[in-house]
Amino acid sequence: MTAMTSPPPALAQATQAFLSSDHGLLIGGARQTGQAGSTFETFDPATGQVIARVAEGRAEDVDLAVKAARKAFEGGWAGTMPIEREKLMWRLAELIEAHGDTLAELETLNNGMPLFLSKFSVSSAADMLRYMAGWASKMAGETLNPSTPGEWHAFTLREPVGVVGAIIPWNAPLNMAVWKLAPALATGCTIILKPAEQTPLTALFLGQLVQEAGFPEGVVNIITGFGETAGAALAQHPDVDKIAFTGSTGTGKKIAQYATGNMKRVSLELGGKSPMIVFPDAPLEKAIPGLTMGAFVNSGQVCAAGTRLFVHASIFDQVMESVAAQASKFKLGHGLDPQTTLGPLVSRQQHDRVADFVRSGLADGCAAYMGASSPDSAGYFYEPTLLVNTARDMRVVREEIFGPVLCATPFEDEDLSAIAQLANDTEYGLAASIWTQNISIAHKLSKMIKAGSVGVNTHILNDAVMPFGGFKQSGWGREKGREVLDLYTQIKSVAVSL
Ligand code: ADP
């Protein structure tokens, strides 16, 4: 069993001050209680204790936020000088860094992730804002050369899509917020952000920083609340031009349906069941830590997590032993304890879901090479779990678990198309990794894999320049990189007869 760390140290004063303040909605530049006046509790998943109450936004609050966002969009935000948007985004990035310790503590407290991860989230959120800020002044249309008789000046304009509704999950709350906020702000859109009900705190803190940075009122609005009320109201709202959603494939399908009411643009970043494929010549000194983190980082609550491990039969036993040895070094515990390297799952519900999946795997004939149990704790911890004797039709192999559960399978084939078939035997297509020193295998297989991101001798590269999104049921569209501009802008073609 993985070692548990000791109880967390006390919170910093700034974090305590934020926790004991009012957690209202941010609408049109003002903090407000919801129209219905209701609130909901938010928890520390490492202890199961309530840490704050936040305002519960509902349909009527969503409506007010959409009106505020529309007013800000039509009232000048879309027409601001790109360099002004860029400056504001840089200011926000600097404020995120200046308040990085508080943001990291809140992220850890609310989501459970270890402090080293929430600190990384803070710096990558700031970097994402700076990267996207540059596009404000660099994105452009192009001139065209028609073949129609006559003399023409023909060109395209790239215009912001308008009012954006962003619905995000609980697994990386700060980063998911910034992945939506940054391209919206850079392109001149206004936004209503709905964080997940499990993890509202860093989004609310970010809202304060948005105000401090000096964004005009109504450009960024934050509605905390539940999916089936606030989230659905946002996705169905007739005056929202685009929905950007990250979450489960099931909810993504509902969002796509809601969006048909006014034919809003939709981008979806959904589930995954990503393969990691290990060849006999893999650089194991890199592969073992890489595979272990690929599967278990953030307790497996990562949409791109490597959850299906295919290892060449000649090194299968060696890799199982080494991954298990590496994973047993994790220290489970409260994320605020600096010793902790693996935190709890986000909620009781998620913990029980993961435990159910593992039980079903064992009942279907898997063997637990390690883990498959919860330590004795009030928090929602689950041991890193390695399942062997897996088969393609088992639920643990087919469905997204979103927990620290890795299913391993040996392969004997030398034929790359048979290996690609194993890897592609899923309804998802978010990420994949290939572990080999053979560049020919690496490049050929990268092309054959049906996934939006492929890593070679790394699982995923989390960097602002890398477009990210899914093939198949893992989603629609690409976030990050230059490609995200297509999701937040639309093209107008203009023809001038000279
Ligand atoms: P999970 O089941 O793991 O919580 P979801 O995909 O349901 O993942 O949640 C991701 C986000 O989608 C959250 O912000 C949640 O509130 C929101 N959500 C859930 N159901 C709906 C819905 N029917 N309409 C709109 N948003 C929803």
Side-chain angles (χ1 to χ4, degrees), residues 95-384:
L95 285 169
I96 285 176
E97 282 176 345
H99 294 272
D101 289 347
T102 311
L103 273 167
E105 278 197 347
L106 288 172
E107 190 82 328
T108 289
L109 200 60
N110 207 183
N111 160 281
M113 69 172 71
L115 211 46
F116 83 90
L117 268 184
S118 49
K119 285 185 175 164
F120 176 70
S121 298
V122 168
S123 62
S124 61
D127 288 349
M128 177 63 79
L129 275 159
R130 293 193 181 104
Y131 168 81
M132 283 297 161
W135 284 115
S137 56
K138 275 126 210 126
M139 64 175 189
E142 52 185 5
T143 53
L144 306 167
N145 300 309
S147 295
T148 307
E151 201 174 338
W152 299 100
H153 174 41
F155 58 96
T156 56
L157 293 172
R158 187 180 277 275
E159 298 182 348
V161 78
V163 172
V164 173
I167 301 176
I168 58 170
W170 43 257
N171 65 328
L174 178 64
N175 268 287
M176 292 298 102
V178 169
W179 282 24
K180 313 283 189 250
L181 215 57
L185 295 172
T187 52
C189 296
T190 58
I191 186 164
I192 300 108
L193 174 72
K194 195 208 83 65
E197 50 270 43
Q198 296 86 348
T199 53
L201 293 182
T202 43
L204 289 172
F205 195 86
L206 190 62
Q208 291 187 1
L209 301 184
V210 163
Q211 288 184 286
E212 197 177 329
F215 284 90
E217 61 186 44
V219 168
V220 176
N221 306 274
I222 298 176
I223 301 285
T224 45
F226 293 89
E228 271 150 30
T229 49
L234 191 56
Q236 289 168 337
H237 200 288
D239 202 30
V240 170
D241 299 303
K242 173 200 164 56
I243 282 282
F245 172 77
T246 299
S248 61
T249 294
T251 303
K253 288 180 182 178
K254 286 189 200 164
I255 302 267
Q257 282 173 357
Y258 297 153
T260 57
N262 67 335
M263 293 306 284
K264 24 175 104 56
R265 308 293 175 261
V266 179
S267 55
L268 303 170
E269 200 263 275
L270 307 175
K273 196 76 190 174
S274 300
M276 305 192 285
I277 309 155
V278 188
F279 288 87
D281 68 340
L284 289 183
E285 71 293 347
K286 245 176 125 170
I288 299 305
L291 298 166
T292 309
M293 287 305 267
F296 299 127
V297 70
N298 205 19
S299 301
Q301 300 169 116
V302 175
C303 49
T307 47
R308 292 179 301 136
L309 174 60
F310 298 103
V311 183
H312 193 272
S314 62
I315 54 164
F316 186 79
D317 291 344
Q318 183 191 356
V319 170
M320 289 308 100
E321 218 169 279
S322 309
V323 167
Q326 182 80 22
S328 67
K329 291 184 197 156
F330 280 121
K331 290 206 160 55
L332 273 177
H334 198 293
L336 290 178
D337 183 329
Q339 303 293 316
T340 295
T341 50
L342 212 60
L345 296 168
V346 76
S347 61
R348 161 74 52 207
Q349 190 192 10
Q350 190 60 17
H351 170 278
D352 294 352
R353 195 179 119 85
V354 170
D356 272 353
F357 262 113
V358 172
R359 269 194 294 275
S360 91
L362 298 175
D364 287 345
C366 291
Y369 198 97
M370 76 176 298
S373 64
S374 319
D376 190 17
S377 160
Y380 312 132
F381 293 93
Y382 201 82
E383 295 279 340

